[in-house]
Amino acid sequence: MANVDELLETFGNMTLLELSDFVKKFEEKFEVTAAAPIAVAGAAAAAPAEAEAEQDEFDVVLEGAGDKKIQVIKVVREIVSGLGLKEAKDLVESAPKAILEKVDKAAAEAAKEKLEGAGAKVSVK
């Protein structure tokens, strides 16, 4: 059984293109065809589920500015580089809106803490 476990580990680390190439070569070598293409799709569907379990990219979403809109605008300008006053104001007024996208957990938590400190309602997804 150790060999089967090793094979499963190897297949789990392969990309879909690598798996597809393997299946083609397997079919040629043993003169068989893949009877259930759904099984490949099932494996592909399982891969995103694993990726979600090990989420390493987060989005910081501004849900609302709260009572201290000016303070929130200042923090948004601090967090999001390159925003002018008008752009930051428009971003805050268009809430709910993503402030940061695909950042690591530490950066997302730091941004959330700063925004909540300024009085904003924030969620990390």
Side-chain angles (χ1 to χ4, degrees):
M1 267 324 229
N3 288 338
V4 173
D5 293 335
E6 290 173 13
L7 285 173
L8 288 174
E9 182 68 30
T10 302
F11 290 144
N13 292 328
M14 294 173 74
T15 66
L16 289 178
L17 291 174
E18 292 169 333
L19 283 171
S20 175
D21 186 45
F22 169 76
V23 170
K24 288 177 188 175
K25 289 179 181 178
F26 186 89
E27 289 174 343
E28 290 172 5
K29 173 135 177 110
F30 295 104
E31 298 176 357
V32 295
T33 58
I38 296 170
V40 174
E50 290 176 17
E52 289 176 355
E54 300 174 18
Q55 183 177 2
D56 60 351
E57 292 182 340
F58 298 87
D59 295 341
V60 178
V61 179
L62 178 67
E63 300 293 338
D67 295 336
K68 302 177 183 177
K69 188 163 91 172
I70 294 173
Q71 296 299 338
V72 173
I73 292 170
K74 288 179 182 180
V75 172
V76 167
R77 286 188 68 201
E78 178 184 325
I79 293 172
V80 183
S81 62
L83 284 185
L85 184 59
K86 181 177 180 357
E87 291 86 3
K89 180 180 179 275
D90 292 343
L91 186 65
V92 169
E93 289 177 346
S94 66
K97 185 82 170 181
I99 301 293
L100 296 174
E101 295 178 337
K102 297 182 180 179
V103 296
D104 63 21
K105 187 173 183 174
E109 291 297 326
K112 180 180 178 183
E113 188 176 309
K114 283 183 182 180
L115 287 164
E116 286 179 342
K121 295 176 189 156
V122 182
S123 64
V124 176
K125 298 180 181 181

